[in-house]
Amino acid sequence: MQSKTVQNDDVPVAGAIGPQAFDGERCRDQREEIAPAALVANRWITSLAAPRVAIPFLAAFGLVLLVVNLGAYPIYTKGEPREAIRILDITRGGGWILPTQAGIGLPWKPPLMYWLGAVISIVLGTVNEWTVRLPSGLLAVGSIVCCYVYVRRLFDERSALMAALILGTTLQFGQAATAARVDMTLTFFMEVAFFEFITIAEGLTRRRMLLYAALAAAILAKGPIGAALPGIAALVWIALERRWGVVRELRMIPGAMVILIVAGGWYVAATVVGGAAFVHRQILAENLYRLLPNHAFHEPHEHPFYYVELALSAGFLPWTGLVPVALAAIPERKRFWTSRFKYLLVWAAVVLIFYNLPRSKRGVYLLALYPAAATLTAVMLNAVRSRTSQSSRIVRLTALGEGVAFLAIGLVALVAEAGMWLHGPVFLASLMRPLGVRVPELSILLYEAMNAHWVAAIAIPAMVSASGAYLILAQLDIDKLFAAVLIGVSCSILVAHLFVVPSIARTLSLKSFTRESMKIADGHPVVSVWPINFDVEFYSGRGLSVGSFQTPHANYFICWRGYYRLLPASSRRRFTVVKVSGPTSLKGSRRMVLLERADLLPMSNPNPKIEIGRHESPQPSYRDAAGDRASNLPR
């Protein structure tokens, strides 16, 4: 097959292969078909889409929306501290190959995210909320910018800008971008791998090894799935398009060597260090047993087969509402129905179908398809925008639905703020009580946060309301609809990240309880009684021993209050409750206690089921296979 030189967005590229080599020219021709009046009316978005403007704009947009407030609130969810203590373990000399969890147990995930967090922490000289969340935040910004760069090469500048903005403002993406979890690390490198393949297949790059470096990094982020999904998507697309010549262009043997050296090297080292326990946990339990159920493995996050579709619909909000508008482009499919567009469909379908197979399902697993979904939506919106009038029924219905949602969000926030300023935090507490929120501290912290930044507390919800009213009342074309939804969702994200999430975090976090408990202990031995809380481990400032109430020569014990209450009365009298934590649930339950031992005499065995040494395996009845807190115990 003869290679040809083509241009895409006026950028000369060599090496195009296959019958779709001129897709870039086709896309440029399509842009020229758009009505001049539409281009004049929306010249601002065309100017913003130019690379010299779009790239710094998207980077700044992502930093402001997702990164700047990452360190302003403590860790409070059960997932973040499990990852954070592994970063802490590395910085304390626990080893880079298999960082442990509070000194017990092997990690369930490969260490790339932990390495990134540890490097940042070492450079900054501390391990805190900022340093453990920063890898996710920075890679989320990188995902936004990469989406623009690749989509611009594959399609056009306007679609690229819209796709990047859609990706960065979806609900699921925003949640993963602000959490110290491995999911955003996996998403970034899989996105690069997915996009890099199609740019190679379409002859838009001479690079080859970036694809394999991204696949290796994705494996180091969460395991073999990082390479399996891009590989399956590539194979399916090649078969559907009958583009078998692409296989020769991929230089698979040198690429496989890169993957084996980078990712395989860690697996070999981890097997040497962790032995059979590592093989069972990471290779079998974390990967094979999720697809082929094993009676010895407890499956976390079990959901019915249709769960992932519902999770995608919710996670893609608010842009789920614009999907019907995008689908209106189907009659115009000849304008965009290229091999590149088909590849995006294959990409999304492979990820969606794959995560339907395991019993373990979570919405965040679908993050790998979000760049494809964002790009598909943007390309179709651009294809239909010049032929959809302002009075189009589908545009009006979509604008009305999105407008009502944003108007309601903004007005509820403004009414709640007005009520708090007039009647104090008790007003907000009364509003939240029907929702099951029984924690008065939350309304107090929200009141203080909004008082401290009252201008932003008024202006941002007002912008959300204004965007909602505009969507309801104005005659909109697709560009104006897109811009109004973007403003509404961006302001909503700011409200959440500046006020709501920090207040919830400060209400539920065990940071102050742990720090005060360590001061009370004043250097004396402290035992974390199983089932342990990883927030306590992270914030203790020292490696706590993990044990039971029988641990000899220990002065202080930290445990769940409900677990302490399970002890016989005779055993409870051997302890004094020194401090009780705040709630770790919005229902006001699940508290922890600091106990002081009255003497150092050996106790009669109060609960023989929980004797756990620092390097022993926990009892499975108190912890599921994913390492979650024991939720079956009273708090």
Side-chain angles (χ1 to χ4, degrees), residues 135 169 188 455 490 496 500 543 572 594:
T169 51
F188 172 78
V455 175
S490 300
V500 179
R572 290 201 303 270
L594 173 67

Side-chain angles (χ1 to χ4, degrees), residues 305-617:
F305 71 93
Y306 53 81
Y307 175 83
V308 290
E309 286 76 20
L310 297 178
L312 177 60
S313 299
F316 202 62
L317 287 172
W319 304 105
T320 310
L322 269 71
V323 171
V325 179
L327 293 177
I330 290 178
E332 306 289 338
R333 62 183 180 274
K334 291 183 179 179
R335 303 179 62 227
F336 59 82
W337 196 257
T338 63
S339 59
R340 303 173 187 187
F341 189 86
K342 294 176 192 175
Y343 174 75
L344 295 174
L345 292 173
V346 170
W347 170 356
V350 164
V351 176
L352 189 65
I353 293 171
F354 179 86
Y355 283 114
N356 266 288
L357 301 179
R359 290 179 298 165
S360 177
K361 299 176 176 68
R362 294 178 63 211
V364 74
Y365 294 165
L366 299 177
L367 271 177
L369 72 76
Y370 275 60
T375 305
L376 287 167
T377 304
V379 170
M380 294 177 76
L381 286 175
N382 266 324
V384 76
R385 71 186 182 91
S386 62
R387 289 171 168 78
T388 303
S389 66
Q390 294 182 353
S391 59
S392 169
R393 183 179 180 83
I394 188 65
V395 172
R396 288 300 308 143
L397 289 175
T398 301
L400 181 62
E402 298 277 357
V404 168
F406 285 125
L407 184 62
I409 292 171
L411 289 179
V412 167
L414 291 172
V415 169
E417 291 172 8
M420 280 195 300
W421 283 317
L422 290 174
H423 304 289
V426 67
F427 176 80
L428 184 57
S430 65
L431 291 180
M432 294 189 295
R433 196 170 295 114
L435 302 176
V437 179
R438 300 282 191 266
V439 187
E441 294 90 343
L442 177 57
S443 58
I444 295 172
L445 289 170
L446 278 170
Y447 177 76
E448 292 174 351
M450 291 179 179
N451 266 341
H453 306 282
W454 63 271
V455 175
I458 296 174
I460 299 176
M463 286 290 292
V464 177
S465 300
S467 66
Y470 179 74
L471 284 165
I472 293 171
L473 300 175
Q475 291 291 319
L476 303 177
D477 58 19
I478 288 179
D479 285 346
K480 292 176 182 177
L481 171 64
F482 178 86
V485 172
L486 178 66
I487 292 171
V489 68
S490 300
C491 291
S492 300
I493 292 171
L494 286 176
V495 169
H497 288 174
L498 294 177
F499 301 109
V500 179
V501 173
S503 297
I504 294 174
R506 295 184 184 108
T507 300
L508 303 182
S509 175
L510 292 167
K511 180 177 182 178
S512 60
F513 165 79
T514 304
R515 296 285 171 84
E516 292 171 12
S517 295
M518 294 304 103
K519 290 180 181 178
I520 294 172
D522 193 25
H524 290 90
V526 180
V527 170
S528 181
V529 178
W530 196 269
I532 64 175
N533 182 286
F534 296 118
D535 303 55
V536 172
E537 293 289 331
F538 180 73
Y539 284 120
S540 65
R542 51 170 159 152
L544 300 181
S545 296
V546 180
S548 70
F549 291 112
Q550 284 189 296
T551 302
H553 310 298
N555 299 75
Y556 293 92
F557 299 80
I558 292 180
C559 70
W560 291 104
R561 184 173 65 175
Y563 191 46
Y564 166 68
R565 288 174 173 173
L566 290 178
L567 293 175
S570 59
S571 297
R572 290 201 303 270
R573 284 195 291 270
R574 291 183 177 270
F575 300 94
T576 301
V577 178
V578 180
K579 187 172 183 60
V580 181
S581 78
T584 60
S585 165
L586 289 177
K587 295 180 179 179
S589 59
R590 300 168 60 88
R591 298 173 187 263
M592 301 201 78
V593 293
L594 173 67
L595 306 174
E596 184 177 11
R597 189 167 170 178
D599 57 65
L600 294 178
L601 296 176
M603 298 174 57
S604 61
N605 189 4
N607 194 336
K609 293 183 180 179
I610 60 164
E611 292 194 47
I612 299 170
R614 185 165 178 78
H615 299 288
E616 296 174 3
S617 298

